[in-house]
Amino acid sequence: MSKTVVILGGSIAGLHVAHALLKKQIKDTKVILVSKNSHFYWNLASVRAIIPGQITDEQLFQPLQTALSRYPAESWELVIGSASKADFGAKTVEITLPDNTTRALPYHQLVLATGARSSSPDTPWKSPGTYEETLASLHDTAARVTNAQHIVVAGAGSTGIEVAGELGYEYGKTKEIILLCSGDKVAGGSSLADAAANELKKLNVTIKYGAHVQETRPGTGDAQGKTEVVFTGGETLATDLYLPTTGLIPNTEYIPSQFLGPGEVARPVLVDEFLRVPETEEVWACGDIVSKPRAGFFITQKQAISVAKNVEAALAGLKPTVAKGPPMDILACAVGRERGVGRINNTIKMPSFMVWAAKGRTLALPMVKTYIDGSVA
Ligand SMILES: Cc1cc2nc3c(=O)[nH]c(=O)nc-3n(C[C@H](O)[C@H](O)[C@H](O)COP(=O)(O)OP(=O)(O)OC[C@H]3O[C@@H](n4cnc5c(N)ncnc54)[C@H](O)[C@@H]3O)c2cc1C
Ligand SMILES: *[C@@H]1O[C@H](CO)[C@@H](O)[C@H](O)[C@H]1NC(C)=O
Ligand SMILES: *[C@@H]1O[C@H](CO)[C@@H](O)[C@H](O)[C@H]1NC(C)=O
Ligand SMILES: *[C@@H]1O[C@H](CO)[C@@H](O)[C@H](O)[C@H]1NC(C)=O
C-alpha cells in the first residue's frame, strides 16, 4: 500500500525535510509539501533587502516548484495553500487553497513546519503570508525607508540590531536612526550587548533605553503624516517610519489546543525528545513552530535532519531516535555591511571580522541555492 507524508510549511525546516526524504525515494511513498508561500524565502537577509538596491528578489525568493522538480513526478506534490485544521485522530489536515476552497489531505506521517511569524503583520522579517504578500511587504518597506528622514526601529533583539545596523550603515549620515530598547542593554543583556551597542554607535544609530512603547498612532498637527510613538509615561516621539521587530508567534492556529504550549497568543507546538507531538504516533515538528531551545536557523536545521530520519524510520516500522541539537549555541548579528557581533555558548565572543565573514558579508544568501538544488539535505 502506498504511503503519504504530508509536510506543512515550505521554508527552512519543511523544505529540508522534503529534500531529505525525496532523495531517498522511499518505495511507495509520496511526499506532499504544503506551503502558504509558493517560494522559498531567505528571511535572514530581509534586514538588508529593505535597503533599496542591495539584494534582488531572485536572490531572496526561489520557487518551491523548482526545488521539487528534480525528483520523479510520482514521488511528490506541491500544494500552495494554508493548513487550516488538523485532526490527529482522523489523520487528516484541511488545507485552504488560494481560491478559498478547502482540500482534505489524509496522511500516514505528518510534519509540522509552519514556523513562526512576526507579531507585527506589516513587516517582512518572516514571511507574512503568500509570496505576493511577502514581496509586497518587502518592497513597501524599502520604499518607505527611502522616503523617511527619521526612522524608529522598535525592539533591540537580534532582528532590531540588524535592521538598525543596516539602516545606520546606509543612512547614518543622512537620516536619523533610533533603536528602541525596553531594558538598559540591547540583546536582552546577553554577552554581546555591549559590543552591539558600540558597533551601532559607530554607525550613528541612537539607542533609546528603557523605552516601553504603549501605542503608535497617526500624528496630528505638526506631526501630520508621521507616526507618533507613545511611551508608557506619556512621552511621545514623531517619526516618518516606525519599524517594529519584536515578537514571534508560532503558526499553530490550525492545531488543536491540547497539543500546544500554555499561553494566549504565542503557543508553540509541544514535542518530546524525538520531536514527536506527544500522544501521537506519526506527527512530528521542527523549526520555529517548536521554538525550543529557541527559534534559530542552526537549531531548525538539526531538527529537520532528526525529523526526516524519524519519519523514514517510522515508514519502515522502526523506532525513532532522540533528536540532537547543534554542538554549540551560536548567535551572530551583522551590524551593517562591514562588521558584526556574535557569541558562542554565551561565553565566547566572536570577533567582528569573523561574524562579517561567516554571516554579515552575504547574510548567507548563497545557502538559497542549496535549498533549491537539495544539497543542503
Ligand atoms: C531577520 C532575521 C534574521 C535571522 N537570522 C538568523 C541567524 O543569523 N541565525 C539563526 O540561527 N537564526 C536566524 N533567524 C531565525 C531563522 O530565520 C528561523 O529560525 C528560521 O526561519 C525557521 O525556519 P522554519 O522553517 O522553522 O520557519 P519559518 O521560516 O517561519 O517558515 C514557515 C513557513 O511556513 C509557512 N506557513 C505558515 N503558516 C502556514 C500554514 N498554516 N500552512 C502552510 N504554510 C504555512 C510560512 O509561509 C513559511 O513559509 C533569523 C530570523 C530573522 C527574522
Ligand atoms: C478568500 O477569503 C478572504 C477572507 O475571507 C478574502 O479576503 C479573499 O478575497 C477571498 N479570496 C477569494 C479568491 O475569494
Ligand atoms: C550623525 O547623524 C547626524 C544627523 O542625525 C549628522 O548630522 C551627523 O553628521 C552624523 N554623524 C556621523 C558620524 O555620521
Ligand atoms: C558549548 O556548550 C556545549 C554544551 O552545552 C559544549 O558541549 C561545547 O563544547 C561548548 N562549545 C564551546 C566552543 O564552548
Side-chain angles (χ1 to χ4, degrees), residues 52 146 152 192 239 269 274 312 340:
T146 311
V152 171
L192 51 73
T239 184
V269 71
F274 307 114
E312 192 191 353

Side-chain angles (χ1 to χ4, degrees), residues 172-173 175-176 204:
K173 288 188 169 61
K175 299 182 197 270
E176 194 160 352
N204 214 1

Side-chain angles (χ1 to χ4, degrees), residues 192-203:
L192 51 73
D194 293 340
N198 269 331
E199 294 294 344
L200 287 169
K201 200 178 290 169
K202 287 185 207 160
L203 297 175

Side-chain angles (χ1 to χ4, degrees), residues 51-62:
I51 310 292
Q54 284 303 309
I55 295 173
T56 65
D57 294 341
E58 291 68 33
Q59 283 177 293
L60 275 184
F61 297 92
Q62 284 291 320

Side-chain angles (χ1 to χ4, degrees), residues 104-187:
L105 282 182
Y107 62 83
H108 294 92
Q109 299 287 323
L110 177 65
V111 176
L112 309 173
T114 47
R117 63 182 181 276
S118 166
S119 61
S120 319
D122 328 328
T123 55
W125 321 130
K126 293 301 283 292
S127 180
T130 64
Y131 168 59
E132 291 74 16
E133 285 163 348
T134 309
L135 205 58
S137 167
L138 202 56
H139 291 174
D140 176 58
T141 306
R144 292 194 295 154
V145 162
T146 311
N147 294 327
Q149 268 312 307
H150 184 286
I151 302 175
V152 171
V153 179
S158 346
T159 302
I161 290 170
E162 291 198 334
V163 170
E166 294 298 323
L167 292 169
Y169 185 91
E170 182 75 12
Y171 301 116
K173 288 188 169 61
T174 56
K175 299 182 197 270
E176 194 160 352
I177 316 293
I178 296 173
L179 177 64
L180 304 182
C181 175
S182 62
D184 59 1
K185 294 235 184 226
V186 300

Side-chain angles (χ1 to χ4, degrees), residues 294-312:
R294 61 181 174 82
F297 170 70
F298 295 113
I299 296 163
T300 296
Q301 272 203 322
K302 280 287 183 191
Q303 291 185 341
I305 293 168
S306 290
V307 163
K309 272 196 195 136
N310 283 343
V311 167
E312 192 191 353

Side-chain angles (χ1 to χ4, degrees), residues 274-360:
F274 307 114
L275 294 173
R276 184 161 57 185
V277 177
E279 282 154 56
T280 74
E281 284 296 320
E282 59 291 288
V283 184
W284 314 83
C286 50
D288 282 9
I289 192 175
V290 176
S291 283
K292 220 170 73 179
R294 61 181 174 82
F297 170 70
F298 295 113
I299 296 163
T300 296
Q301 272 203 322
K302 280 287 183 191
Q303 291 185 341
I305 293 168
S306 290
V307 163
K309 272 196 195 136
N310 283 343
V311 167
E312 192 191 353
L315 288 166
L318 302 172
K319 287 204 173 348
T321 46
V322 173
K324 275 205 218 99
M328 53 187 124
D329 185 33
I330 298 180
L331 187 70
C333 291
V335 190
R337 302 206 283 270
E338 284 174 10
R339 298 186 62 82
V341 296
R343 54 123 178 115
I344 300 171
N345 278 1
N346 211 20
T347 46
I348 303 167
K349 289 195 180 115
M350 292 166 76
S352 173
F353 75 87
M354 195 201 260
V355 178
W356 172 80
K359 178 176 184 192

